[in-house]
Amino acid sequence: SSDPLVIFTPSGKRGHFPVGTPVLTAARQLGVDLDSVCGGRGICSKCQITPSYGEFSKHGVTVADDALTEWNKVEQRYKDKRGLIDGRRLGCQAQVQGDVVIDVPPESQVHRQVVRKRAEARDITMNPSTRLFYVEVEEPDMHKPSGDMERLIEALDSQWQLKNVKTDLHILQSLQPALRKGKWKVTVAVHLGDESNPPKIMHIWPGYYEGSLYGLAVDLGSTTIAAHLCDLISGEVIASSGIMNPQIRFGEDLMSRVSYSMMNEGGDREMTRAVREGMNALFTQIAAEAEIDKNLIVDAVFVCNPVMHHLFLGIDPFELGQAPFALATSDSLALRATELDLNIHPAARVYLLPCIAGHVGADAAAVALSEAPDKSEDLVLVVDVGTNAEILLGDKTKVLACSSPTGPAFEGAQISSGQRAAPGAIERLEINPETKEPRFRVIGSEIWSDEEGFDAAIATTGITGICGSGIIEAIAEMRMAGVLDASGLIGSAEQTGTPRCVQDGRTNAYLVWDGSAEGGPKISITNPDIRAIQMAKAALYSGARLLMDKFGVDTVDRVVLAGAFGAHISAKHAMVLGMIPDCPIDKVTSAGNAAGTGARIALLNTKARSEIEQTVRRIEKIETAVEPRFQEHFVNASAIPNSKEPFPILAS
Ligand code: FES
């Protein structure tokens, strides 16, 4: 062809186009991902491109040339009014004049990649449920009678190829003023629909709407509810916040909430109301923090364990309290926010990830989405440490999952000096193996207790207690310093040679900090504390070990610690304690709140929703409660690190 050659990067797509073809048109024809909200009218600037190589055509002008011609006056107007990054052009205005290479920057791609910070984590490909479209609607004509909505729907079809678009009463109510105020030009937010739902108009603005659309990724935990507010266009997290789950007043752990609903008429409804109210308070708070209108939140994704899942939906969790632990449904759910009493956009959609099995919930599915064990070349053990531990083991051949009742000890509950992770809590602790003296650091300060400036550093927070990661380090350090034996007993002052080992009732305790002189607390690790942690870590370890049996392996290649708490555990201490199987320390990584990340992926990429639905169907669930070997592993794993399993890598 004698027409100029146009090559787009990074896609590499190419074709010949006649001189004068707008870049956006060429991109459309080649299927290049180049964004546009205004449909090529030079208003939205979403179509920005960078000409990276252009040969001068016989006209002497290429898109790389900033020379003004007739055709880019619109662009000049745009540039004068709002500015344009140097070298950037509006793809809908710039025209092909000769052979050219055109780069589409990430911001101009609808399906842009949101880069995740961890090296081993996959990036998120944007594919949000709802997008903005600017349209020009035909004015009414007495001779061709038709409703304003019909003409809007017609415009969406002809200008955007959106077929069969549906709407709601609330849109009809604002339609006529919006069309007239915008002089027959409006921006609409359209939920793009899926196989079972047609596209739907969610919101309408007169003229060109410059703002964004938002979504929520919510990790509904038994202890805390954490939400990320995400920009549905850029993919960025614009605010993150959390609250305590208000259901705590009905029971600390899940089973006590299930029994609350069994013992109290209407107890399940009370808990449903509490969690929804808490959620609404959280959403108001997060929207205020981000300074956005709550009504612009058009999509929300929730992940939770099965009991929270049922209570949030308003389903009595009774059946989850007894074998065979039948869920009302384990499928994913697509609902409307109003059905769940959520005060966000009135037409907002809600998506709940599928549950894996009776005790393995949508939170585990979200972890699987985030950490993708089903795509791993090597064998990976993923543990999400919380009140329940969700455990996944697998590689690309198969993935197994189970849940293990660790209880709240890892979160500092049931521990004599325990507290939640908050400023003032001891989070790091070391014990000198010679002197048996501790040094520690508290949350909110970077300075160790034996360093200069410590008193000043903790002046505002004080030393208030010890949080989950602090307990784990303390117990592992006690074991390594020889003040604690493998069975979990603390030695006496005579046996250990340190006055820090004090008599505490009929057993001993290790005194970490005595603040009583200044009216502060005495922080010590007692034998009951150690037992609580032994139970929790044994539950975690035996769940992992059971999956390894089922997989037919004795070792794993790597371990991923997930969960807010997982982010703070030191790999070495977790292994000294025998929480996780023996594995090279550098193969133990932290994934942070992987369930929350999984929710975010499902929010930003609707394709990931069907992906995880398929993955979940392939995950093999193991019910720990009915496995005899679980008990056996549990007994062995109560010792520190373990009475039967060798830890060869740790030992060396
Ligand atoms: Fe909107 Fe180009 S497509 S400015």
Side-chain angles (χ1 to χ4, degrees), residues 159-177:
Q159 291 163 43
W160 290 103
Q161 287 73 52
L162 286 167
K163 308 282 175 210
N164 197 20
V165 177
K166 300 286 180 233
T167 190
D168 266 339
L169 181 59
H170 77 100
I171 294 293
L172 284 173
Q173 288 162 343
S174 48
L175 174 69
Q176 296 200 311

Side-chain angles (χ1 to χ4, degrees), residues 22 36 42 89 107 121 129 212 241 271 321 338 357 434 467 488 536:
S36 161
R89 302 289 303 265
E107 315 84 274
S129 65
S212 199
S241 195
M271 287 188 279
T338 47
E434 306 296 324
C467 69

Side-chain angles (χ1 to χ4, degrees), residues 24 35-47 90-92:
L24 180 66
D35 198 2
S36 161
V37 168
C38 72
R41 295 180 179 87
I43 301 171
C44 70
S45 84
K46 302 283 184 196
C47 60
L90 294 184
C92 63

Side-chain angles (χ1 to χ4, degrees), residues 489-522:
L489 284 177
I490 304 171
S492 65
E494 297 76 54
Q495 287 163 329
T496 60
T498 169
R500 289 206 171 255
C501 285
V502 292
Q503 186 86 23
D504 179 48
R506 287 196 289 147
T507 60
N508 301 315
Y510 177 81
L511 181 67
V512 175
W513 171 257
D514 187 354
S516 53
E518 291 92 46
K522 247 188 183 177

